[in-house]
Amino acid sequence: MSLSRILTEIMSIEDLYAANAEYKDSHGKALAIIQSSSAVVSTISSSILIWKILRSPQRLSTTRHRILFGVGIGDIIFSLSFANYNTMIPSDVDYLVWNAQGNQTTCNVMGFMSGVGVVMSLLYSC
């Protein structure tokens, strides 16, 4: 399948499956596993940070602890939106994305969590 055909013609769903099968089964799967695994590690690390802050004698009384607490919560929200091995991505694009099993609502939830997590982390960092 040539690039000019992909860019100039409307393709059938069978042609889309054929054109993207190699990427989806190799690179797409590896990317999803790496991305979701690192999101799980990030969630665990931020949870440990928050736990240590809340167990310290100062708790949230210091500015540094409040900032780290807010950044940690933002990171947990952001990481949880990616720690799902692509299951929240709509199944309409399963020709391109490995393990896409969601619908438009799950995609909207994932996007909202990503946005809230990024904005929250950025605003606490400034």
Side-chain angles (χ1 to χ4, degrees):
M1 174 134 333
S2 68
L3 182 61
S4 62
R5 178 169 181 225
I6 292 173
L7 296 176
T8 59
E9 295 181 15
I10 296 176
M11 297 173 63
S12 68
I13 193 72
E14 291 82 17
D15 290 341
L16 284 171
Y17 277 107
N20 295 305
E22 183 180 346
Y23 168 78
K24 174 187 165 186
D25 294 333
S26 60
H27 296 21
K29 185 176 183 178
L31 179 66
I33 291 171
I34 292 168
Q35 177 182 5
S36 296
S37 299
S38 64
V40 169
V41 170
S42 179
T43 301
I44 292 169
S45 300
S46 292
S47 299
I48 291 171
L49 175 71
I50 289 171
W51 176 72
K52 289 191 73 74
I53 289 171
L54 294 177
R55 298 271 303 175
S56 72
Q58 296 90 12
R59 293 201 169 103
L60 296 175
S61 63
T62 65
T63 304
R64 179 176 53 124
H65 282 183
R66 286 192 299 267
I67 291 172
L68 287 174
F69 182 80
V71 170
I73 293 292
D75 181 60
I76 289 172
I77 293 170
F78 179 74
S79 296
L80 285 177
S81 69
F82 288 102
N84 55 41
Y85 296 92
N86 287 348
T87 56
M88 293 177 76
I89 295 176
S91 58
D92 299 347
V93 293
D94 66 341
Y95 60 86
L96 184 59
V97 178
W98 173 78
N99 202 24
Q101 300 174 6
N103 55 30
Q104 190 60 45
T105 303
T106 59
C107 185
N108 290 343
V109 168
M110 184 176 162
F112 178 77
M113 287 174 64
S114 299
V116 167
V118 166
V119 169
M120 188 173 177
S121 293
L122 288 175
L123 289 179
Y124 267 101
S125 296
C126 293

